[in-house]
């Protein structure tokens, strides 16, 4: 089974801090994604990557950046955390269209 | 851009059949997927429709009509464990966009 591992389940950070959320997948998938999930809004795509060092903006990239230096690792960076970035962050990976995405367990980030 | 609409909540009784509809507006559409998410859990893949018609996987079936920009998830013989949120998602060239989700509550 594909495993997508997110480094932290819960995280509390202060406003203005630089925050790194790490995601690692173990099945050599080409595509990796970062979503945030908020009640009533579903999952919204922040960034995705279809190859090493490649990145594409999703629907809500403002305030975020990403890094993909190795195929298995996709990092989400909050340059200067703000309270409106308090959310559940979900990483996913996939191989091609039509194949299901495999999600990590999520990181619940609270910015205070 | 993309937009997907699905009902926010559905309630049904154990053993019944329930249908969750999804309408979408998008460009570059490749297919429609459905995901299930239990409280506190990660979304898990249920089905994918790349072509029009019905796909069946056990108690769950999913349907797509490209001409109507419409799909649905059909859950049969409902069980208590089916209480969860269900998301439709449009598959684009390199990524996927989700609807806001439907909260299904199964009652005894």
């Amino acid at each position: 089974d594909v495993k997508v591992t997110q480094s932290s389940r819960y995280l509390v950070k202060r406003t203005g801090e630089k925050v790194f959320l790490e995601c690692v997948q173990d099945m050599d998938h080409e595509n990796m994604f970062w979503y945030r999930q908020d009640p009533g809004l579903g999952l919204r795509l922040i960034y995705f990557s279809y190859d090493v060092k490649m990145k594409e903006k999703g629907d809500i990239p403002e305030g975020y950046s990403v890094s993909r230096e190795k195929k298995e690792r996709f990092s989400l960076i909050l340059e200067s955390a703000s309270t409106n970035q308090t959310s559940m962050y979900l990483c996913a990976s996939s191989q091609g269209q039509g194949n299901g995405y495999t999600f990590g367990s999520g990181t619940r980030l609270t910015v205070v | 851009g993309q937009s997907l609409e699905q009902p926010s909540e559905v309630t049904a009784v154990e053993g019944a059949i329930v249908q969750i509809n999804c309408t979408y507006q998008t460009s570059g559409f490749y297919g429609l997927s459905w995901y299930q998410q239990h409280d506190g859990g990660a979304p898990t893949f249920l089905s994918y429709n790349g072509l029009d018609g019905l796909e069946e996987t056990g108690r769950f079936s999913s349907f797509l009509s490209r001409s109507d920009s419409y799909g649905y998830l059909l859950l049969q013989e409902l069980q208590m464990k089916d209480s969860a949120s269900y998301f439709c998602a449009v598959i684009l060239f390199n990524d996927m966009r989700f609807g806001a989700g439907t909260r299904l509550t199964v009652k005894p």
Side-chain angles (χ1 to χ4, degrees):
Chain A
D1 280 353
V2 177
K3 281 216 165 63
V4 178
T5 304
Q6 295 184 231
S7 53
S8 304
R9 187 81 173 104
Y10 298 95
L11 213 51
V12 180
K13 295 292 182 180
R14 294 195 179 279
T15 301
E17 276 193 79
K18 190 167 186 175
V19 181
F20 293 86
L21 302 183
E22 305 288 346
C23 176
V24 178
Q25 51 97 1
D26 66 358
M27 284 299 289
D28 203 36
H29 280 178
E30 301 290 336
N31 306 319
M32 297 189 75
F33 310 84
W34 277 105
Y35 290 86
R36 65 176 281 179
Q37 184 173 22
D38 301 286
L41 297 177
L43 286 81
R44 292 180 292 167
L45 182 64
I46 306 171
Y47 268 97
F48 65 100
S49 169
Y50 53 87
D51 200 355
V52 175
K53 296 193 186 293
M54 303 299 290
K55 60 183 179 184
E56 293 284 343
K57 293 180 180 179
D59 292 327
I60 52 164
E62 295 78 20
Y64 303 95
S65 63
V66 289
S67 172
R68 192 159 181 209
E69 296 296 319
K70 293 184 178 181
K71 192 175 187 179
E72 67 271 18
R73 186 179 297 269
F74 192 36
S75 303
L76 180 69
I77 304 154
L78 286 67
E79 296 292 342
S80 177
S82 64
T83 55
N84 63 12
Q85 292 178 310
T86 291
S87 186
M88 171 67 83
Y89 288 88
L90 289 161
C91 175
S93 73
S94 78
Q95 186 72 9
Q97 301 158 0
N99 301 305
Y101 284 23
T102 300
F103 282 86
S105 298
T107 295
R108 185 164 291 283
L109 173 67
T110 303
V111 182
V112 298
Chain B
Q2 295 81 30
S3 71
L4 296 95
E5 290 191 14
Q6 53 181 126
S8 58
E9 294 182 11
V10 173
T11 301
V13 297
E14 209 171 3
I17 299 172
V18 72
Q19 179 173 312
I20 300 173
N21 298 321
C22 175
T23 57
Y24 60 87
Q25 286 187 317
T26 185
S27 55
F29 176 86
Y30 279 80
L32 192 72
S33 276
W34 289 90
Y35 284 76
Q36 178 192 60
Q37 186 181 31
H38 287 100
D39 286 347
T44 57
F45 173 72
L46 290 178
S47 69
Y48 170 72
N49 292 75
L51 302 173
D52 283 3
L54 193 68
E55 295 282 341
E56 297 180 75
T57 309
R59 294 187 297 114
F60 293 1
S61 303
S62 59
F63 173 83
L64 174 65
S65 168
R66 286 173 175 262
S67 59
D68 296 321
S69 298
Y70 164 76
Y72 65 73
L73 179 69
L74 190 74
L75 298 86
Q76 303 182 73
E77 301 172 19
L78 281 173
Q79 302 174 8
M80 298 298 291
K81 67 179 182 179
D82 297 329
S83 289
S85 291
Y86 292 85
F87 296 88
C88 61
V90 290
I91 310 299
L92 307 177
F93 179 66
N94 262 328
D95 64 286
M96 181 167 65
R97 307 298 171 90
F98 286 82
T102 299
R103 175 89 184 174
L104 171 64
T105 302
V106 180
K107 296 187 173 181

